[in-house]
């Protein structure tokens, strides 16, 4: 029986400062992240003791230096927020990792709350810059010059499912899901074949099938084995193949279909061999074909289009959902997945209000027709970039949303609430409310632990190895009874 | 998903009107005009908000590689 698909996303944003000749991305990131102020501002460490990004899911440990910053740098680069999220500086990009949620709809709410938080801090940070300069943030994945940065998805998986099974059944799904999850890109890069427009921002950057790397020679399936939970019971599948999506519907469908397929893999329900002859080549071919007509070659010699490949998964998923009780949102995922694939078969233009790559393509083509310009023009490339601009008054996705041209999945009120309130049904609730209540006494935080510095006593670390424990139902009473962290620790022991 | 999205129907297939009857054709033409106006105003707005000096902006947009 598949385990609950607890999930979250980590978005690395593009950052630049307009009119700054000496733009330095790292100091700009530090300025940005520290410009965000919550009501209770505490100096809290990110607890690197619990991190191990060099463990490989195939069962070995890779040599390499683990990054651990000193205390001052740690506090300057990491913010743990009251909504349970982590907002921080990762290399040369600001990154927002949303709190753990249990379903794709909450994921949309929390990923979008992250956009608002970054936009709030962008405004604050911009105000601190010299006259004439402005900080800009893009929720995208490349600069169109061969530099890429990721937006990663995480899904909780059962440790008993072998990594080999996951790789085998996921590879064809990942090579083809971009027909509805792609964020769209003008042109190509990283020595890929030239094209006017492609489905995905990231496809040009995948060079190998399976590996631990995330920054060079990127793999379609990443093997990082860092569960941030009980490692005897769980894996955290770290998905690096996706794009940073703007459309709520696209985010929802991407998360829903992927989580469903992962549950199927855990239950052995992907019973067909859909293995591709050359996944790395296929992911690029699919991305470079907005007509969706080209086919890719399977290991068994058959050829299928990306939409047909997805339809194979859908058919298996329908049988799977009909035959057992799973997540309550599975049936809705099936309905939307099916209607999306049908529309892609008929005419992708039907999805011009909900699938990112189609929304962007239609918008640009209309603009080109009106202006008499082509894909090479600077204005078109600007539109490609500005679609992802977080400024509500300048971002083209925001403009389309404001004018009612895109389909919403959640409400603004829900997004606003998630800026300060954690999800109620995961351990993020405990993390967030500990920060709200005992912020001054919190010493360090990681996904699966929180430690308290109480007076002169040794640091007390509370482990949260179960992502679904620490929910409101579990701990609201406990938090209510504990007026400070000392009492909380006492009550936890009792 | 929320109710709000249920109210919006997919673009391009709002009703069963095929436009073959006289009445239907008129309705469709009217709808087409309204849609064209809407798109025109959207394109105007994009033109207005689009970053000035697009060429320079795009050229200077360089990021360091990330994950």
């Amino acid at each position: 029986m598949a385990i609950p698909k607890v999930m979250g996303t980590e978005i690395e944003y593009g950052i630049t400062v307009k009119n700054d000749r000496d733009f330095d991305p790292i100091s700009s990131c530090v300025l940005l992240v520290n410009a965000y102020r919550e009501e209770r501002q505490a100096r809290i460490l990110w607890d690197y003791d619990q991190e191990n990004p060099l463990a490989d899911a195939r069962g070995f440990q890779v040599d390499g230096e683990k990054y651990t910053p000193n205390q001052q740098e740690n506090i300057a680069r990491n913010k743990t927020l009251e909504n349970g999220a982590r907002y921080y500086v990762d290399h040369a990009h600001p990154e927002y990792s949303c709190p753990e949620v249990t379903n794709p709809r909450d994921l949309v709410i929390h990923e979008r709350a992250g956009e608002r938080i970054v936009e709030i801090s962008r405004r604050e940070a911009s105000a601190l810059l010299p006259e004439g300069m402005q900080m800009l943030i893009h929720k995208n994945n490349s600069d169109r010059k061969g530099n890429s940065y990721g937006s990663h998805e995480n899904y909780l998986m059962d440790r008993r499912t072998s990594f080999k099974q996951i790789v085998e059944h996921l590879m064809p799904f990942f090579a083809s899901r971009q027909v509805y999850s792609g964020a769209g890109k003008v042109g190509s890069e990283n020595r890929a074949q030239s094209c006017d427009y492609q489905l995905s921002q990231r496809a040009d950057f995948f060079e190998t099938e399976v590996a631990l790397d995330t920054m060079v020679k990127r793999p379609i399936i990443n093997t990082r084995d860092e569960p941030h939970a009980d490692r005897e019971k769980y894996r955290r599948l770290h998905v690096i193949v996706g794009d940073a999506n703007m459309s709520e519907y696209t985010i929802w469908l991407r998360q829903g279909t992927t989580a469903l397929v992962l549950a199927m893999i855990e239950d052995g329900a992907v019973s067909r061999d859909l293995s591709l002859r050359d996944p790395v080549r296929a992911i690029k071919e699919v991305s470079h074909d907005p007509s969706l007509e080209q086919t890719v070659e399977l290991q068994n010699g058959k050829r299928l289009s990306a939409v047909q490949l997805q339809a194979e998964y859908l058919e298996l998923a329908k049988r799977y959902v009909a035959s057992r009780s799973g997540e309550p949102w599975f049936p809705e995922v099936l309905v939307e997945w099916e209607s999306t694939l049908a529309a892609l078969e008929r005419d992708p233009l039907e999805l011009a209000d909900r699938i990112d790559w189609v929304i962007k393509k239609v918008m640009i083509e209309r603009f080109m027709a009106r202006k008499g310009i082509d894909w090479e023009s600077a204005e078109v490339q600007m539109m490609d970039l500005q679609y992802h601009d977080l400024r509500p008054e300048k971002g083209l996705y925001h403009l389309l949303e404001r004018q009612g041209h895109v389909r919403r999945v959640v409400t603004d009120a829900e997004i606003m609430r998630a800026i300060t309130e954690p999800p109620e049904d995961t351990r993020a609730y405990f993390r967030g409310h500990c920060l709200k209540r005992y912020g001054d006494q919190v010493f360090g935080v990681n996904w699966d632990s929180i430690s308290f510095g109480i007076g002169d006593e040794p640091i007390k670390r509370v482990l949260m190895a179960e992502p679904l424990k620490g929910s409101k139902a579990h701990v609201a009473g406990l938090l209510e009874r504990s007026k400070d962290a000392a009492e909380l620790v006492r009550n936890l022991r009792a | 998903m929320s109710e709000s999205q249920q109210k919006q129907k997919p673009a391009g297939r709002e009703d069963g009107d095929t436009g073959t009857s006289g009445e239907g054709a008129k309705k469709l033409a009217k709808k087409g005009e309204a849609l064209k106006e809407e798109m025109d105003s959207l394109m105007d707005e994009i033109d207005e908000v689009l970053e000035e000096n697009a060429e320079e902006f795009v050229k200077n947009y360089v990021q360091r590689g990330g994950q």
Side-chain angles (χ1 to χ4, degrees):
Chain A
M1 176 76 187
I3 64 166
K5 286 284 149 280
V6 178
M7 56 180 86
T9 54
E10 325 160 25
I11 312 288
E12 283 183 330
Y13 288 87
I15 182 167
T16 189
V17 175
K18 224 166 104 174
N19 302 326
D20 181 1
R21 285 176 177 280
D22 306 313
F23 169 64
D24 171 48
I26 297 174
S27 56
S28 299
C29 287
V30 173
L31 177 68
L32 175 76
V33 167
N34 285 281
Y36 188 66
R37 300 269 158 191
E38 293 200 296
E39 215 173 296
R40 291 168 198 75
Q41 200 71 19
R43 289 166 61 81
I44 295 168
L45 290 170
W46 186 256
D47 189 349
Y48 286 87
D49 277 7
Q50 307 280 317
E51 306 241 309
N52 193 0
L54 300 174
D56 194 300
R58 291 164 295 185
F60 47 85
Q61 182 80 21
V62 173
D63 284 339
E65 213 159 298
K66 212 172 103 176
Y67 170 73
T68 31
N70 67 39
Q71 193 152 328
Q72 202 179 352
E73 198 183 303
N74 184 324
I75 290 169
R77 288 175 181 233
N78 289 287
K79 303 291 160 216
T80 311
L81 308 185
E82 291 179 6
N83 67 1
R86 181 187 180 197
Y87 181 30
Y88 62 117
V89 181
D90 192 14
H91 305 281
H93 296 273
E95 177 158 339
Y96 184 87
S97 298
C98 80
E100 305 90 325
V101 297
T102 60
N103 61 79
R105 193 170 185 284
D106 285 350
L107 189 289
V108 174
I109 293 170
H110 280 276
E111 186 172 311
R112 294 216 73 198
E115 293 173 22
R116 304 273 176 113
I117 285 168
V118 178
E119 170 58 15
I120 291 166
S121 36
R122 186 202 65 78
R123 277 203 308 268
E124 297 289 331
S126 268
L128 301 172
L129 295 172
E131 181 94 19
M133 290 187 193
Q134 191 184 18
M135 188 180 282
L136 304 184
I137 306 286
H138 294 88
K139 191 189 183 195
N140 62 1
N141 301 106
S142 101
D143 63 0
R144 315 299 190 263
K145 296 171 187 71
N147 300 307
S148 184
Y149 31 100
S151 48
H152 301 171
E153 301 145 47
N154 297 294
Y155 302 89
L156 191 71
M157 291 198 72
D158 191 330
R159 174 67 62 177
R160 286 172 300 183
T161 305
S162 80
F163 199 72
K164 192 167 161 283
Q165 291 280 310
I166 297 174
V167 169
E168 185 183 328
H169 298 306
L170 210 48
M171 195 71 79
F173 179 76
F174 276 171
S176 55
R177 75 169 189 172
Q178 47 182 323
V179 293
Y180 52 81
S181 70
K185 180 166 81 175
V186 174
S188 67
E189 57 196 324
N190 199 32
R191 299 185 300 276
Q193 260 193 340
S194 74
C195 63
D196 288 336
Y197 187 80
Q198 59 176 309
L199 310 188
S200 159
Q201 301 240 315
R202 286 277 271 180
D204 287 343
F205 294 95
F206 292 97
E207 298 176 26
T208 178
E209 291 177 32
V210 185
L212 185 61
D213 295 307
T214 53
M215 295 185 63
V216 288
K217 279 205 76 172
R218 293 184 182 85
I220 295 174
I221 295 180
N222 181 242
T223 58
R224 184 180 294 177
D225 189 7
E226 198 183 16
H228 295 316
D230 183 344
R231 65 176 308 119
E232 301 291 315
K233 288 168 72 177
Y234 304 118
R235 290 178 193 287
R236 169 182 63 116
L237 188 73
H238 186 234
V239 175
I240 71 167
V241 77
D243 284 358
N245 292 114
M246 300 301 293
S247 153
E248 291 179 358
Y249 184 88
T250 307
I251 297 170
W252 182 87
L253 191 61
R254 175 193 78 200
Q255 294 294 132
T257 55
T258 304
L260 173 51
V261 168
L262 292 174
M264 290 163 63
I265 293 173
E266 283 177 339
D267 283 329
V270 183
S271 51
R272 275 175 216 166
D273 183 11
L274 299 167
S275 302
L276 296 169
R277 170 91 55 197
D278 184 348
V280 175
R281 185 173 155 179
I283 202 170
K284 295 185 173 73
E285 285 176 350
V286 170
S287 183
H288 282 228
D289 174 36
S291 79
L292 306 177
E293 282 164 4
Q294 301 298 317
T295 55
V296 292
E297 192 180 7
L298 271 59
Q299 199 73 265
N300 62 17
K302 261 183 34 183
R303 296 193 71 94
L304 292 177
S305 73
V307 177
Q308 285 167 339
L309 250 177
Q310 282 289 313
E312 295 274 334
Y313 280 97
L314 171 65
E315 200 189 310
L316 294 168
K318 278 171 148 177
R319 264 190 248 161
Y320 172 74
V321 173
S323 70
R324 69 188 70 214
S325 59
E327 301 279 3
W329 39 270
F330 280 173
E332 206 179 352
V333 170
L334 288 181
V335 169
E336 298 300 328
W337 193 4
E338 181 159 37
S339 78
T340 298
L341 294 184
L344 288 170
E345 280 285 358
R346 280 193 305 268
D347 180 5
L349 288 189
E350 288 178 23
L351 304 171
D353 65 344
R354 68 195 74 175
I355 297 297
D356 269 325
W357 75 265
V358 186
I359 301 174
K360 190 194 274 181
K361 182 167 179 278
V362 168
M363 173 186 76
I364 291 177
E365 282 176 341
R366 284 199 178 116
F367 194 79
M368 290 195 308
R370 183 166 150 141
K371 289 268 185 171
I373 53 178
D374 62 19
W375 291 104
E376 301 284 321
S377 92
E379 275 169 299
V380 165
Q381 289 169 37
M382 192 65 233
M383 287 176 83
D384 185 18
L385 196 54
Q386 211 168 323
Y387 181 78
H388 302 269
D389 192 325
L390 285 195
R391 291 173 296 175
E393 71 281 8
K394 281 286 200 178
L396 298 185
Y397 175 79
H398 286 278
L399 173 62
L400 295 171
E401 184 179 276
R402 204 163 43 243
Q403 296 204 352
H405 291 286
V406 290
R407 182 163 152 173
R408 299 291 302 268
V409 173
V410 301
T411 64
D412 284 330
E414 289 172 306
I415 296 169
M416 291 302 287
R417 185 180 147 79
I419 291 175
T420 53
E421 296 302 316
E424 295 186 349
D425 53 358
T426 66
R427 65 187 176 188
Y429 182 87
F430 182 71
R431 184 186 309 120
H433 283 276
C434 279
L435 290 171
K436 282 176 191 282
R437 284 170 179 265
Y438 323 116
D440 293 343
Q441 293 172 293
V442 174
F443 175 77
V445 176
N446 196 313
W447 298 109
D448 53 358
S449 73
I450 181 161
S451 45
F452 299 95
I454 304 161
D456 297 333
E457 291 173 45
I459 301 296
K460 302 269 189 319
R461 183 186 270 165
V462 178
L463 295 179
M464 301 184 282
E466 289 291 336
L468 289 175
K469 290 190 179 160
S471 67
K472 186 177 184 181
H474 288 121
V475 300
L478 170 75
L479 292 167
E480 208 52 57
R481 285 200 306 281
S482 314
K483 71 171 194 313
D484 58 24
E487 260 188 50
L488 176 75
V489 171
R490 259 200 309 280
N491 288 333
L492 273 167
R493 283 193 183 132
Chain B
M1 276 187 280
S2 74
E3 288 157 24
S4 64
Q5 57 131 317
Q6 308 295 349
K7 291 175 203 152
Q8 290 184 26
K9 288 183 190 166
R13 41 176 175 139
E14 296 229 316
D15 50 41
D17 212 335
T18 56
T20 45
S21 69
E23 189 69 5
K26 246 186 253 163
K27 244 167 110 183
L28 203 68
K30 225 176 175 179
K31 211 158 78 182
E33 262 169 51
L35 193 71
K36 192 178 172 304
E37 263 172 44
E38 210 181 301
M39 283 305 133
D40 280 349
S41 94
L42 177 65
M43 292 301 130
D44 285 340
E45 208 156 331
I46 289 175
D47 213 5
E48 242 165 67
V49 302
L50 207 59
E51 206 66 52
E52 287 166 31
N53 306 322
E55 193 162 349
E56 205 186 322
F57 190 102
V58 169
K59 195 179 84 203
N60 291 336
Y61 189 79
V62 180
Q63 299 289 303
R64 281 206 208 157
Q67 296 223 45

